[in-house]
Amino acid sequence: MNEKYFPTEIEERQQQRWAEAKVFEADVDESRPHFYCLEMLPYPSGRIHMGHVRNYSIGDALACYKRMTGFNVLHPMGWDAFGMPAENAAIKNNARPDEWTIENINAMRTQLQRVGFNYDWRREIASCTPEYYRWNQWFFIQMWKHGLLYRKNATVNWCVKCNTSLANEQAEGGFCWRHEDVPVELRQLEQWFIRVTNYADQLLDDLDTLVDGWPERVLSMQRNWIGRSKGAEVDFAIDGESGVIRIFTTRIDTIFGASCMIVAPEHSLVESLIASGKASDELKSFVEKQSAITKEDRIAEGTEKEGVNTGLFAINPFNGEKLPIWTANFVLTGYGTGAIMAVPAHDERDFEFCAKYGLSIRRVIVPAGFDGDVNEALTEAYTSKDESCIVVNTGEWSGKVVPEAIAAMTAYAQANGFGEAQTNFKIRDWGVSRQRAWGTPLPFIHCATCGIVPVPENQLPVELPKDLNFNTQGAPLAEHAGFVNVNCPTCGAAARRDTDTMDTFVDSSWYYFRYVDPKNTELPFDPKVAAYWMPVDQYIGGIEHAVLHLIYTRLWTKIMRDLGLITFDEPVKNLLTQGMVCLATARCEEHDWLNPTEVLDGKCKYCGRDAKIGRTEKMSKSKKNTIDPDEMINTFGADTVRLFMLFAAPPEKDLEWDDAAVEGASRYLNRVWRIIYKWHEKGLGGREQGVEFSDGARRLRRKTHQTIHRISNDIGTRMNFNTGVAALMELTNEIYDFDKKVDEANAGDLFALKEAMEALVKMLAPFTPHIAEELWASLGHNDLVVVAEWPVYDAELAKEEALEIPVQINGKMSGRVSVAPEIDDEALKQAVFSDERIKAKIGERQIVKTIVVPKRLVNIVVK
RNA sequence: GCGAAAGUGGCGGAAUUGGCAGACGCACCAGACUUAGGAUCUGGCGCCGUAAGGUGUGGGGGUUCGAGUCCCCCCUUUCGCACCA
């Protein structure tokens, strides 16, 4: 053992020992409980960043702890290796995307290995390999056969920077998910879709089974995204015309309050009015104007409601009333039927619109016990969602409470053939085609006679050609004759391969199923092996995937269940969304974003202008507020970096990088090293039975066992690594205290010291495995600490010898009494009332009552 | 606007069920050792006060013997959703 702690040297050595001993390799073993610890796989961009290090340090600590407490732990890592940057690099540098990607993977794997993460590298996967993506193709063919995949000409989101279409989830708020400043365009395109809407109900309802294991934030984001709304569709006949307007409403009970109908400017009714020349000039120009505005602008906050009367009338099927038909900007074509009935009395938007255009307002809902005038003019919409509200002015349904009226009126509409119950969702089918070349080819062939024909399964994978030409205006795949031209598998005639590729979110929808059986050539995975490991016990990753990856992967699980591969409904039992790694930003007028080292005394290093230190923000290359993990590891060692990240904040909170605190973490490890080095030199002797323990030794043993108890809870149950580290620091401080007064001739003292140090080193292993391993060897062990048995908690030894019971008078702290730990309430009371200090404080006052919280506190109420 | 989470020293954060507020660390202060220290060790460190003591978990009210924790109102911050019919 070296006197000084040299992290980089020991880290490499210990990593080698682990690799040689293959201790992180796990296989099916029915004799032990199993635990699947999973972290979101990285995109091989070239370098790992601090966000990765944090994410993986959390998972690594948990995996190590679980392994040490007897679990068979699956802890894999892989690469989300298809995607745009590789293709862009190919275009820019005339490189090959596969080579670019593999180089990056190799570099990043080396980096991850330098941090010393305990992965089973045998199970590594890269989604860009044919061995992997052939199963994407296989899944698509199964989905096609089951009617879960279809092709349709549709309006899709298009990002000009990505030069491809995007799924709705990837175009939230009208901007591309990869390019936050690039608004998406709409294009008409023939596309592949996965029938998500078949699963919308399940995706929503099953969220209820995740409430204990998933953050509420993610659940509510998914609920919002799925956006189920239950209501009814109702047909309104058009006065003097054939055909009907079908509307969607969640409040059919308010239909007697309808003042007008409003259709979207794109509605077929408006189109046909214009086509037949019956539209007014005002209507025509309004529609023209609206079609020039994007949906996002049209529904942006503060946009005034505008509309035009079409001149037509609709007949309310419930009461025969004639209602003018309007078109307006706030009615959208993409939701419901693109047409609504406007009920101004009970909807804020409708109120605003009808008030503006002087349309009548009729109240049809009142609160329970309402005793005012039903026909008195409302000054604002009455929108109470209270189920006890009563329907009025509504013919035979008047007097019913809202839920009953909705049920009865929906039934009436259905019975009379002009409506039916209907559930609407915001979530849309998943558009999975991408017009890019670096992705999984779609395994379909377009034949002039046979239509769309799946590639026969025994011909999978459909491999991506390696000799694509990226310097072309068109699509590289479509221009590759060898790829495109093929014979139809059914009729044998000349046909064309589909030249789109799959959304890369397909790859990540099921990658962790592949880890359980990564070499399988018959199926994506062996259902039996998956049944052993899955579902994932703990998944750890960023919040940014709340409605992207995390909804797709839930969908995929349900599809795989329906394909008979698995039997469970949800893939992930527990989800932890870790916070971001942040750092202060600095900005100079001349040189834009500055690295903190480029700022000297608040001035830009280059030009001397004031450099404003801004707020802390997520580390990003563009803001130049990044810290390179490799540099930090070179300076402090991987253990220090990991310790800092786990200690500085609870995992779900954002973490601000703090150089001083990193040094603090380093100082702590040096402190542990020093005390163990000292006793390594002196020798601690062997364990001896039947020794007498001094007060100090008993105290240290107590702390040791209390710490074992605490940290097991902190890591295993609460996943609060920060308090776990704090507990280890306390134990270390206690060891230092004891070290000052230890009697080297006393076997009990040496035993207590050794016990404390061994426990400390073991408990450090999940956080700082390298130094723990090195110190474990110094303490005379030949086995590996990262797979050693977790220290055993002895409740007897952890018990306090005396309790300091706080005493309150009228709820105010007034002193303490020291009593035996097994004291009963009566004896505790006596001890308190015989305490001179307490007696003096009570003085002449009369004791009203005394509250005793057993073994914790006494409160005396006096007056 | 709706919904959720949060607000504790100079800072990051503890306080597991309503029971000693501020664990642990950073920064800072004082001292020791040293040729030297950005090493190490010892001590201090919420605020007011020399002290005794008082006061204190965003603000106000409440429940309770007792509230950072529970309830009501308000303020602030962050996040999500937002003409969704």
Side-chain angles (χ1 to χ4, degrees):
Chain A
M1 187 188 189
N2 202 308
E3 185 181 350
K4 287 242 165 69
Y5 168 45
F6 294 119
T8 36
E9 172 208 319
I10 68 168
E11 285 176 1
E12 207 180 322
R13 189 167 64 239
Q14 297 305 344
Q15 284 157 15
Q16 257 167 30
R17 286 181 73 202
W18 297 329
E20 279 161 21
K22 304 181 191 299
V23 283
F24 305 135
E25 299 182 0
D27 291 297
V28 171
D29 174 0
E30 298 289 353
S31 71
R32 280 189 296 160
H34 53 86
F35 191 88
Y36 190 170
C37 181
L38 178 71
E39 298 119 44
M40 289 184 185
L41 86 177
Y43 176 79
S45 57
R47 310 274 306 158
I48 61 167
H49 55 69
M50 279 299 176
H52 292 128
V53 178
R54 185 176 191 202
N55 188 171
Y56 304 153
S57 295
I58 293 167
D60 209 61
L62 183 66
C64 183
Y65 170 77
K66 284 287 173 184
R67 207 176 277 117
M68 291 177 77
T69 50
F71 286 83
N72 186 24
V73 175
L74 178 60
H75 191 216
M77 182 45 65
W79 310 97
D80 186 16
F82 271 137
M84 295 260 319
E87 198 167 337
N88 293 341
I91 295 165
K92 209 170 147 190
N93 308 325
N94 220 2
R96 272 176 47 178
D98 55 338
E99 287 172 354
W100 183 89
T101 304
I102 297 299
E103 249 172 58
N104 285 347
I105 287 176
N106 289 337
M108 290 173 76
R109 188 193 304 106
T110 305
Q111 283 189 296
L112 290 182
Q113 286 170 340
R114 271 196 82 201
V115 194
F117 294 128
N118 59 54
Y119 298 123
D120 181 350
W121 285 106
R122 294 174 308 161
R123 296 174 181 274
E124 179 183 5
I125 55 151
S127 58
C128 63
T129 58
E131 295 75 35
Y132 184 85
Y133 68 68
R134 89 172 263 189
W135 299 110
N136 287 345
Q137 296 170 338
W138 182 85
F139 277 122
F140 266 56
I141 290 169
Q142 311 311 311
M143 286 192 271
W144 171 259
K145 287 180 180 165
H146 286 77
L148 295 171
L149 179 73
Y150 65 96
R151 215 168 140 76
K152 155 180 112 171
N153 198 302
T155 309
V156 297
N157 306 295
W158 184 277
C159 173
V160 289
K161 259 201 178 158
C162 293
N163 201 24
T164 183
S165 58
L166 300 171
N168 277 15
E169 286 78 8
Q170 294 150 20
E172 242 197 293
F175 289 89
C176 171
W177 70 290
R178 297 186 53 91
H179 301 105
E180 288 167 17
D181 51 340
V182 179
V184 293
E185 296 176 359
L186 295 181
R187 289 200 185 177
Q188 240 3 76
L189 213 62
E190 174 112 346
Q191 281 251 301
W192 291 97
F193 288 90
I194 294 177
R195 232 177 264 286
V196 178
T197 43
N198 275 19
Y199 289 90
D201 271 314
Q202 287 179 48
L203 285 170
L204 185 69
D205 293 336
D206 288 352
L207 288 173
D208 293 341
T209 68
L210 302 175
V211 288
D212 293 328
W214 283 42
E216 177 54 38
R217 230 171 101 189
V218 175
L219 298 179
S220 87
M221 281 164 81
Q222 293 211 356
R223 281 193 198 102
N224 270 324
W225 184 257
I226 297 164
R228 179 165 67 194
S229 93
K230 291 188 174 177
E233 290 190 353
V234 182
D235 291 328
F236 286 62
I238 304 168
D239 193 31
E241 307 267 334
S242 61
V244 294
I245 304 182
R246 172 158 278 226
I247 59 121
F248 174 72
T249 178
T250 55
R251 293 298 300 271
I252 194 172
D253 57 311
T254 64
I255 199 166
F256 279 67
S259 303
C260 67
M261 311 292 293
I262 310 176
V263 300
E266 300 84 358
H267 195 273
S268 58
L269 181 77
V270 178
E271 274 181 11
S272 61
L273 268 181
I274 292 172
S276 64
K278 289 186 202 157
S280 66
D281 291 345
E282 193 192 2
L283 178 60
K284 275 191 273 186
S285 70
F286 177 77
V287 171
E288 230 165 81
K289 195 175 117 195
Q290 292 305 323
S291 66
I293 307 172
T294 67
K295 178 192 159 206
E296 272 66 34
D297 285 340
R298 233 161 84 186
I299 63 174
E301 194 176 346
T303 305
E304 202 181 329
K305 292 180 182 34
E306 279 185 88
V308 174
N309 194 335
T310 63
L312 294 172
F313 287 89
I315 310 290
N316 185 333
F318 274 85
N319 59 9
E321 240 178 300
K322 270 174 75 173
L323 304 172
I325 302 173
W326 288 64
T327 181
N329 57 348
F330 70 98
V331 176
L332 306 170
T333 185
Y335 186 79
T337 60
I340 63 164
M341 61 175 188
V343 183
H346 305 294
D347 182 289
E348 280 174 29
R349 293 161 305 155
D350 297 349
F351 189 94
E352 192 187 327
F353 185 80
C354 292
K356 177 172 175 180
Y357 291 105
L359 292 150
S360 64
I361 296 171
R362 184 194 299 157
R363 179 164 204 178
V364 292
I365 302 288
V366 295
F370 181 77
D371 60 356
D373 178 4
V374 168
N375 296 315
E376 195 181 347
L378 286 165
T379 53
E380 59 176 357
Y382 178 73
T383 58
S384 168
K385 299 260 189 299
D386 201 312
E387 296 204 333
S388 66
C389 285
I390 311 289
V391 175
V392 296
N393 279 339
T394 302
E396 63 188 87
W397 296 280
S398 295
K400 284 191 187 296
V401 294
V402 164
E404 283 175 21
I406 289 176
M409 293 171 82
T410 306
Y412 178 83
Q414 187 146 13
N416 289 282
F418 61 79
E420 61 201 338
Q422 175 70 35
T423 301
N424 262 338
F425 292 93
K426 276 205 314 192
I427 198 167
R428 295 276 169 263
D429 284 346
W430 178 8
V432 283
S433 310
R434 293 293 174 272
Q435 292 69 47
R436 305 290 309 197
W438 183 234
T440 306
L442 280 146
F444 295 98
I445 292 164
H446 299 272
C447 169
T449 14
C450 308
I452 294 167
V453 181
V455 172
E457 285 177 35
N458 61 13
Q459 289 174 27
L460 295 183
V462 176
E463 285 203 42
L464 211 48
K466 293 197 187 303
D467 54 347
L468 289 170
N469 176 18
F470 287 95
N471 288 307
T472 164
Q473 289 298 309
L477 268 180
E479 291 183 2
H480 191 284
F483 177 80
V484 175
N485 298 320
V486 66
N487 291 332
C488 170
T490 309
C491 70
R496 287 176 61 84
R497 278 192 201 282
D498 198 292
T499 56
D500 279 349
T501 56
M502 296 179 198
D503 183 354
T504 57
F505 278 98
V506 167
D507 310 325
S508 54
S509 290
W510 68 281
Y511 72 99
Y512 51 95
F513 285 82
R514 184 68 179 169
Y515 284 143
V516 307
D517 191 15
K519 306 278 193 283
N520 198 320
T521 53
E522 304 299 315
L523 281 172
F525 52 86
D526 180 344
K528 284 208 259 347
V529 180
Y532 173 81
W533 289 113
M534 296 292 297
V536 170
D537 293 283
Q538 183 67 57
Y539 198 15
I540 306 159
I543 186 77
E544 66 274 15
H545 288 294
V547 288
L548 285 162
H549 164 60
L550 287 172
I551 216 159
Y552 294 137
T553 198
R554 292 184 57 230
L555 167 77
W556 211 274
T557 301
K558 291 171 196 305
I559 291 174
M560 289 193 290
R561 178 203 59 200
D562 291 350
L563 293 175
L565 287 166
I566 51 174
T567 56
F568 48 88
D569 300 316
E570 288 291 334
V572 171
K573 288 188 212 161
N574 297 291
L575 173 70
L576 175 76
T577 48
Q578 100 274 359
M580 298 180 299
V581 183
C582 301
L583 186 62
T585 51
R587 202 160 196 179
C588 156
E589 275 178 34
E590 177 69 20
H591 297 90
D592 205 33
W593 296 104
L594 297 174
N595 185 303
T597 62
E598 297 169 318
V599 180
L600 302 169
D601 299 324
K603 309 265 181 210
C604 172
K605 182 167 118 175
Y606 306 108
C607 63
R609 286 188 178 80
D610 282 346
K612 281 183 211 137
I613 301 287
R615 45 188 242 153
T616 65
E617 288 184 63
K618 183 184 180 179
M619 284 187 180
S620 82
K621 272 188 205 158
S622 62
K623 294 195 175 136
K624 291 182 76 180
N625 64 337
T626 57
I627 302 275
D628 179 44
D630 268 351
E631 271 178 43
M632 285 297 130
I633 291 168
N634 290 340
T635 313
F636 296 103
D639 282 339
T640 290
V641 176
R642 291 164 65 141
L643 185 69
F644 161 73
M645 299 198 121
L646 293 169
F647 178 56
E652 66 280 1
K653 287 190 78 168
D654 286 352
L655 175 139
E656 190 181 343
W657 190 267
D658 177 351
D659 285 327
V662 177
E663 281 170 34
S666 172
R667 258 197 315 264
Y668 170 69
L669 292 180
N670 274 290
R671 194 166 141 85
V672 173
W673 184 276
R674 276 195 307 277
I675 192 77
I676 291 182
Y677 176 77
K678 173 176 170 181
W679 286 98
H680 164 77
E681 291 300 293
K682 284 176 180 282
L684 281 161
R687 300 203 171 213
E688 290 181 42
Q689 296 295 320
V691 291
E692 284 289 311
F693 288 105
S694 62
D695 283 352
R698 285 206 309 280
R699 196 186 139 90
L700 179 60
R701 299 195 72 193
R702 199 181 309 134
K703 187 71 179 180
T704 301
H705 285 274
Q706 285 173 350
T707 306
I708 295 168
H709 190 55
R710 238 179 95 182
I711 202 170
S712 304
N713 187 29
D714 282 343
I715 308 182
T717 314
R718 305 196 310 153
M719 290 226 282
N720 275 13
F721 305 99
N722 53 331
T723 51
V725 174
L728 293 184
M729 289 173 168
E730 281 185 46
L731 176 59
T732 308
N733 292 343
E734 196 83 23
I735 293 173
Y736 266 87
D737 275 352
F738 184 65
D739 173 68
K740 281 180 229 160
K741 55 197 171 203
V742 64
D743 175 0
E744 286 177 45
N746 182 325
D749 278 13
L750 294 182
F751 179 88
L753 203 51
K754 185 166 185 176
E755 178 185 48
M757 287 181 178
E758 288 189 338
L760 174 67
V761 167
K762 277 184 169 181
M763 292 188 286
L764 274 170
F767 305 106
T768 55
H770 309 90
I771 188 173
E773 203 63 81
E774 188 77 17
L775 293 174
W776 187 243
S778 312
L779 288 168
H781 299 276
N782 296 320
D783 59 330
L784 292 167
V785 77
V786 290
V787 285
E789 192 192 341
W790 192 252
V792 179
Y793 168 61
D794 184 332
E796 224 18 70
L797 290 169
K799 223 168 168 179
E800 293 291 345
E801 289 179 5
L803 295 180
E804 290 281 309
I805 303 288
V807 182
Q808 299 181 334
I809 297 174
N810 287 348
K812 274 194 162 184
M813 267 297 293
S814 302
R816 290 188 174 83
V817 289
S818 184
V819 297
E822 52 282 338
I823 194 161
D824 65 36
D825 292 2
E826 227 14 74
L828 176 55
K829 246 189 206 177
Q830 257 178 27
V832 169
F833 286 120
S834 57
D835 185 279
E836 290 304 326
R837 213 175 119 87
I838 302 292
K839 272 201 267 188
K841 285 218 175 182
I842 295 169
E844 296 301 306
R845 288 178 294 180
Q846 197 194 334
I847 296 166
V848 180
K849 75 174 154 174
T850 307
I851 288 117
V852 179
V853 184
K855 297 175 179 135
R856 294 199 77 154
L857 173 139
V858 177
N859 188 12
I860 304 160
V861 185
V862 300
K863 68 173 180 187

